[in-house]
Amino acid sequence: MNAADTAWIIVATALVLFMTLPGLALFYGGLVRARNVLSVFMQCYAIACLMSVLWLAFGYSIAFGGGTSGIWGGLGKMFLSGVTADSLSGTLPEVLFFAFQMTFAIITPALIVGAYVERVGFGFVLVFSALWMLLCYAPVVHWIWGGGILADGGIFGEVGVRDFAGGIVVHETAGLAALIIAVFLGPRKNRTTPPHNPGYVFIGAAMLWVGWFGFNGGSQLAADGGAAMALTVTHISAATASLTWALWEKIKYGKASMVGLVTGTIAGLASITPASGFVGPVEALVIGAVAGILCQEAVNLVRNVLKIDDTLDVFAVHGVGGIFGTIMIAVFGAGSWFAQLGGLAIVGIFTAVVTIVLVKLTAAITPLRVDLETETNGLDITVHGERAYDMTS
């Protein structure tokens, strides 16, 4: 065990949890109507709790159980069977590696929340997220990070898929799942209501930016120059994408919005995620500069051309950003074109098929969408019996 590595990953684990709670919850919560903000908080918080238990029970074993098939890790490490405080994963205590990866298993299904807010049943959120994490996310983790079929020595040969912190594993899978659920749900009855609290959006985005240092810097799994470089390029990409998003808004609409500026931050963060361990500051500058414009145009494509109500633009920002960053690894010569594009295609097809099956299965167990009265009155009071704001008190 290396004490410095261990200390850094303990901090990184806390930072990645901070991304979901409270970062993502505030970012998403501020973007919805006031009558639905608590439902967003509830969904993010409940997902964090449920995924933690399921990652302990089955998820970690499926992803990192060391199965020999290359498809999944098996169930040999259910409930951390055989793992003690003295067990090691590289230079880290294995229980710490478990905890760090658990925070990724929390935020990935939580990202999907942005596609279905304001109109989805709470039971559907829990059942779908649980099944999706175990049957889609965990196997993909094994394929790329757990020594499976897409890793070095797998189906792409000596050089496998390069995905440093989750461009494919986290952002492509969550983005595609979000898009598919949005199609199944159909649009909200009122799609034109502006964000009820841009201040929440700003605070949440700022928390995500800080937490992302643990997300990308921690993925080095060591306290060394590689972690420092990953942290640095993450920051540069985020800053640059924020500026290009705002500039593109100014050129197109005559005004640069605060919500647009911070959404550009998230686009830059998602785009640099897969490449953060393989590029330097100049490449990060390029990735961020393109991401701010590319993801904004993807928002326009999904909303206005395809007419899909992916409410908070999960696919356009996270999905497109993660896919773009994964491709840029090959552009900058840090990975194989064959492996990068092949990995995107295989995971994309797998995610689409599993998500469609799970949506249909879950909808047979619990209603997918709330009724019109519930949607009109808001999920906070009708589903959870609470209001975020009581103006009479």
Side-chain angles (χ1 to χ4, degrees), residues 7 28 32 50 91 100 105 122 176 221-222 246-247 319 321 324 332 372:
Y28 279 173
V32 300
L50 183 57
T91 62
F100 180 66
F122 186 59
L176 285 173
L221 300 176
L247 176 62
F324 167 64
F332 290 125
L372 179 59

Side-chain angles (χ1 to χ4, degrees), residues 290-365:
V290 175
I293 298 172
L294 175 66
C295 293
Q296 187 176 155
E297 287 304 307
V299 169
N300 180 61
L301 173 67
V302 173
R303 283 186 187 177
N304 302 320
V305 178
L306 300 178
K307 306 294 185 183
I308 298 172
D309 189 14
D310 177 356
T311 313
L312 307 183
D313 307 311
V314 182
F315 176 75
V317 175
H318 292 277
V320 171
I323 291 167
F324 167 64
T326 301
I327 294 171
M328 291 304 288
I329 294 172
V331 170
F332 290 125
S336 155
W337 277 100
F338 179 50
Q340 297 307 106
L341 295 178
L344 285 167
I346 291 170
V347 172
I349 293 168
F350 175 75
T351 299
V353 171
V354 172
T355 301
I356 291 169
V357 171
L358 291 181
V359 168
K360 290 182 174 293
L361 176 63
T362 307
I365 299 171

Side-chain angles (χ1 to χ4, degrees), residues 247-256 296-297 300 304:
L247 176 62
W248 196 241
E249 270 194 336
K250 175 67 174 176
I251 292 171
K252 291 181 67 177
Y253 308 114
K255 293 181 180 179
Q296 187 176 155
E297 287 304 307
N300 180 61
N304 302 320

Side-chain angles (χ1 to χ4, degrees), residues 81-216:
S81 175
V83 177
T84 69
D86 297 321
S87 302
L88 292 181
S89 176
T91 62
L92 303 173
E94 186 173 3
V95 70
L96 175 58
F97 178 73
F98 158 84
F100 180 66
Q101 291 296 335
M102 178 179 64
T103 59
F104 281 64
I106 288 169
I107 197 169
T108 306
L111 290 174
I112 304 172
V113 166
Y116 53 59
V117 290
E118 302 197 300
R119 62 199 190 281
V120 75
F122 186 59
F124 177 87
V125 173
L126 296 182
V127 175
F128 174 83
S129 297
L131 294 173
W132 188 86
M133 191 278 282
L134 293 174
L135 300 177
C136 184
Y137 173 77
V140 172
V141 172
H142 180 71
W143 296 354
I144 295 178
W145 293 340
I149 57 172
L150 302 183
D152 292 350
I155 62 174
F156 294 118
E158 186 82 15
V159 179
V161 174
R162 294 284 181 261
D163 183 6
F164 188 71
I168 296 177
V169 174
V170 174
H171 295 289
E172 184 192 17
T173 59
L176 285 173
L179 190 69
I180 290 166
I181 293 176
V183 171
F184 273 99
L185 271 174
R188 290 163 293 163
K189 298 304 179 185
N190 186 347
R191 298 178 57 177
T192 59
T193 307
H196 93 281
N197 194 330
Y200 279 1
V201 180
F202 166 79
I203 294 168
M207 290 174 170
L208 283 165
W209 191 339
V210 172
W212 226 290
F213 290 158
F215 198 84
N216 289 357

